[in-house]
Amino acid sequence: MNTQPYHIYQSILLHAHLPFVRHPEHPEFFEENWLFEAISECYIPLLRMLNQLEDKGIRGKLTLTLTPTLCSMLQDELLINRYSKRLDKIIELAQIESQKNTSEPALRKVREFYYQHLTELKHLFEEDFNRDLITEFSQLRDRERIEIIGCSATHALLALIDNRQVIRSQLETGINSYIDTFGAHPRGIWMPECAYTPLVSEVMREFGIEYSIVDSHGILHATPMPKYSVFAPVIDENGLVLFGRDPESSKQVWSAETGYPGDADYREFYRDFGWDGSQEEVGKYLISPDFRHDLGLKYYKITGKVPLQQKALYDPDAAWHKASIHAREFVDSRLQQGRRLQDECTSSIHLLSPYDAELFGHWWFEGPIFLENVLKYSNNTELELITPGDYLDLNRELQHVAVSTSSWGNNGYFETWLNGSNDWIYQELREAEESMTDLAERFVVQKPDKATLEALNQAGRELLLAQASDWAFILTTDTTTEYATNRVKEHLTNFHTLYSMITNNNLDQTFIAKLYTKNNIFPHLNYSVFC
């Protein structure tokens, strides 16, 4: 029996990503709410929590991905102004709701809670954070409270791209965006959808990336079988360090059946005042009076497996208390897990727990409270919350293996993003990718004039935006399918129009300028990344 003192390291990684959605051509646009909801329900609460813990001297670090598309939107003046106005409208509605007479104390309590909560968010956003969440995250990074890792440019599923140079263009643009945003080169990169292939790894190493994340079966199916399973990172054939997802800690949070977010006391996501309220009550606050949607005022708790209309009223105090209980249980589970693994592994065990950041606060409203308590309860225990970069700095000896092709999607490979609902995307993308690389190779020799340079760069932006994995995912999940289809087709149409203009030397500079006004991501992009 191993009697050496053991130590448990855990890295909680929050993958914060949203597709680039920006529509200046409309005064309001429904899909921009994806960003606005995430700011209010996830990003501001996370920043508040991390700052408060730092003020209290609580140790423990988190790792975040802040993808280039998300960073671009969080720094976009148009979107930030729209968010502020949208928040003002919801606060106005919450105030009206809080002043309504009711004989139900529980309903009065939850209405007053929302008004106070949203008012505090507004103060944090405008006053404490000066509307600049990226600087807040960057300062936490500089103070070594978090590690921020990079991502490819638009979260393209790199594993489904067989052209090395096209993979390079996504990674180089993503890394350059990280440097522009945070003033440093990322040590690690989140492979979109944790989709690993040896080619993707090889290209990442060409850019000096030290590590990335794979799902557990990518490690468990490696050759030779890793000695320490997923409880220590491995090095692949290209020299890339790979951390495998720990199934146990993931299931405790992710599982739809047994995961914490499904507890009866937590807020019910799918019942919202935007649907429950009368037209007179909510019409003014909808994007369009005849289009119902969520407004963020959710008055009911999960309750159990009952119809939405039978849900019980939400009690924030009870939910906060339950989040504290679950956090204690989560920490205790990691300690017990470490003790079980001590004989199988080494005196030092590493658990990698990656989640979508938007789970914490958006889908699971109490998620930031849970995380806050996990960080607090892990203090002064054998569980140390560190980042993957911190773990590499411990200079542990790592095993060399050939990691298996894998992703964290359904059934572990790529069928979520490649199936009968979305397979049409890839042939069209491949044709555009070949055209873009041909253009880039031609003009890197010819040296384009200023107008042609702008057209080439915009063609690159349109292609990158069309490649986002989000569109294929939305088609699989059958949610906003019309929007996803239109986005792919619109970007590819824009690309082909630009391609025709460039090859025929017939540039419409008004059209090109209009495209950049709308799709203004990656202002420093140079078409040469495609060759």
Side-chain angles (χ1 to χ4, degrees):
M1 181 175 179
N2 188 348
T3 59
Q4 297 180 39
Y6 74 101
H7 201 91
I8 308 165
Y9 297 103
Q10 183 180 20
S11 295
I12 297 177
L13 192 159
L14 307 181
H15 176 56
H17 166 66
L18 289 172
F20 185 76
V21 176
R22 181 180 184 273
H23 290 275
E25 73 276 21
H26 299 287
E28 287 186 286
F29 200 82
F30 171 70
E31 280 78 9
E32 290 179 354
N33 276 352
W34 298 345
L35 174 67
F36 303 159
E37 290 170 349
I39 291 173
S40 289
E41 297 175 342
C42 179
Y43 310 144
I44 293 177
L46 281 174
L47 285 167
R48 173 178 55 190
M49 178 267 288
L50 289 165
N51 284 326
Q52 287 175 345
L53 288 179
E54 183 177 24
D55 291 343
K56 295 174 183 177
I58 302 294
R59 67 175 178 82
K61 298 167 69 173
L62 298 178
T63 307
L64 278 80
T65 317
L66 296 174
T67 63
T69 49
L70 175 59
C71 289
S72 178
M73 292 187 294
L74 289 176
Q75 297 175 98
D76 187 275
E77 185 176 0
L78 172 75
L79 292 174
I80 292 305
N81 285 337
R82 287 185 173 185
Y83 166 71
S84 183
K85 290 176 182 176
R86 187 72 190 153
L87 183 55
D88 283 340
K89 289 182 71 172
I90 303 304
I91 290 172
E92 178 186 304
L93 175 60
Q95 183 177 25
I96 293 169
E97 283 288 289
S98 71
Q99 294 171 347
K100 284 182 177 178
N101 291 324
T102 178
S103 59
E104 294 185 77
L107 180 56
R108 181 171 60 252
K109 178 180 178 180
V110 72
R111 285 171 171 169
E112 291 173 350
F113 161 77
Y114 274 112
Y115 176 58
Q116 294 168 2
H117 173 69
L118 292 167
T119 301
E120 181 184 358
L121 289 181
K122 178 72 174 179
H123 177 81
L124 285 166
F125 180 70
E126 299 285 354
E127 304 299 329
D128 291 13
F129 301 155
N130 196 30
R131 294 185 166 204
D132 187 355
L133 304 190
I134 290 296
T135 292
E136 289 297 314
F137 281 118
S138 186
Q139 289 175 350
L140 284 165
R141 173 187 176 274
D142 294 343
R143 298 196 299 271
E144 298 185 349
R145 301 296 301 180
I146 60 174
E147 179 174 357
I148 300 174
I149 66 174
C151 192
S152 65
T154 57
H155 211 264
L157 195 75
L158 304 179
L160 292 181
I161 300 173
D162 59 6
N163 183 316
R164 173 190 292 271
Q165 193 52 49
V166 175
I167 296 173
R168 284 184 58 87
S169 67
Q170 272 280 346
L171 285 170
E172 184 171 354
T173 305
I175 291 169
N176 288 341
S177 176
Y178 185 101
I179 294 169
D180 287 342
T181 303
F182 301 110
H185 192 286
R187 296 183 67 180
I189 273 189
W190 178 272
M191 285 181 290
E193 318 301 359
C194 292
Y196 174 89
T197 66
L199 176 58
V200 173
S201 162
E202 185 179 328
V203 177
M204 289 174 68
R205 287 298 293 153
E206 291 174 4
F207 287 106
I209 298 301
E210 296 180 51
Y211 74 85
S212 191
I213 312 300
V214 294
D215 208 332
S216 52
H217 61 288
I219 301 290
L220 296 176
H221 295 169
T223 305
M225 182 176 292
K227 181 179 180 182
Y228 302 124
S229 186
V230 295
F231 307 116
V234 297
I235 300 178
D236 78 354
E237 58 206 81
N238 301 306
L240 184 70
V241 176
L242 292 160
F243 291 82
R245 175 159 69 157
D246 167 43
E248 186 172 328
S249 60
S250 295
K251 183 179 179 181
Q252 223 165 341
V253 173
W254 271 123
S255 171
E257 291 78 28
T258 61
Y260 294 135
D263 186 89
D265 284 331
Y266 290 144
R267 187 180 79 162
E268 172 59 66
F269 177 84
Y270 291 103
R271 187 166 176 187
D272 188 281
F273 189 61
W275 300 89
D276 285 348
S278 68
Q279 187 67 24
E280 182 181 2
E281 290 172 310
V282 303
K284 175 183 174 182
Y285 304 98
L286 300 171
I287 290 174
S288 174
D290 58 352
F291 174 58
R292 288 293 184 113
H293 56 82
D294 286 7
L295 294 172
L297 303 183
K298 303 177 190 293
Y299 295 156
Y300 296 89
K301 63 181 181 179
I302 290 172
T303 309
K305 293 184 178 181
V306 298
L308 285 178
Q309 296 308 314
Q310 295 179 20
K311 301 288 184 177
L313 285 164
Y314 179 60
D315 181 350
D317 292 334
W320 263 228
H321 179 64
K322 184 61 68 71
S324 176
I325 292 172
H326 283 156
R328 175 75 73 180
E329 180 183 305
F330 184 83
V331 171
D332 288 344
S333 296
R334 301 290 73 70
L335 292 167
Q336 294 168 16
Q337 184 180 8
R339 293 180 185 118
R340 292 198 310 270
L341 292 169
Q342 184 184 7
D343 291 334
E344 302 173 28
C345 297
T346 65
S347 58
S348 295
I349 294 154
H350 182 266
L351 307 174
L352 189 280
S353 305
Y355 312 100
D356 281 339
E358 292 75 23
L359 170 68
F360 295 87
H362 178 58
W363 299 103
W364 179 18
F365 187 59
E366 300 78 12
I369 304 300
F370 168 83
L371 283 176
E372 178 180 0
N373 283 291
V374 167
L375 287 162
K376 286 195 298 187
Y377 294 151
S378 64
N379 263 241
N380 302 314
T381 71
E382 294 142 330
L383 178 66
E384 183 176 353
L385 296 180
I386 64 171
T387 72
D390 292 335
Y391 188 84
L392 293 186
D393 291 339
L394 297 174
N395 295 314
R396 297 286 196 262
E397 185 175 347
L398 303 180
Q399 185 177 358
H400 290 255
V401 301
V403 174
S404 174
T405 295
S406 53
S407 85
W408 72 347
N410 187 42
N411 293 326
Y413 295 96
F414 309 134
E415 68 181 54
T416 298
W417 303 276
L418 178 58
N419 55 64
S421 71
N422 54 31
D423 55 359
W424 60 270
I425 293 174
Y426 296 97
Q427 182 58 40
E428 295 193 27
L429 282 178
R430 180 166 295 186
E431 291 172 2
E433 289 161 359
E434 291 175 356
S435 296
M436 187 67 219
T437 54
D438 288 346
L439 273 182
E441 289 168 0
R442 183 191 320 170
F443 279 95
V444 81
V445 175
Q446 292 181 8
K447 304 299 180 186
D449 58 27
K450 184 175 183 296
T452 305
L453 176 63
E454 290 174 353
L456 286 163
N457 292 343
Q458 192 61 37
R461 291 186 189 95
E462 300 296 332
L463 175 57
L464 292 170
L465 289 167
Q467 290 173 320
S469 71
D470 309 272
W471 316 133
F473 178 81
I474 289 170
L475 292 177
T476 295
T477 55
D478 194 24
T479 50
T480 54
T481 54
E482 182 179 0
Y483 181 72
T485 299
N486 289 343
R487 281 296 300 271
V488 176
K489 291 184 175 180
E490 176 186 316
H491 292 305
L492 288 173
T493 297
N494 291 342
F495 171 82
H496 289 301
T497 301
L498 290 164
Y499 178 84
S500 178
M501 287 180 180
I502 293 166
T503 54
N504 293 317
N505 194 25
N506 184 26
L507 300 181
D508 182 342
Q509 292 179 270
T510 301
F511 172 79
I512 297 166
K514 185 177 179 180
L515 274 187
Y516 181 67
T517 297
K518 181 179 179 181
N519 300 322
N520 63 351
I521 195 169
F522 310 129
H524 301 137
L525 177 71
N526 188 282
Y527 74 94
S528 61
V529 299
F530 290 93
C531 65

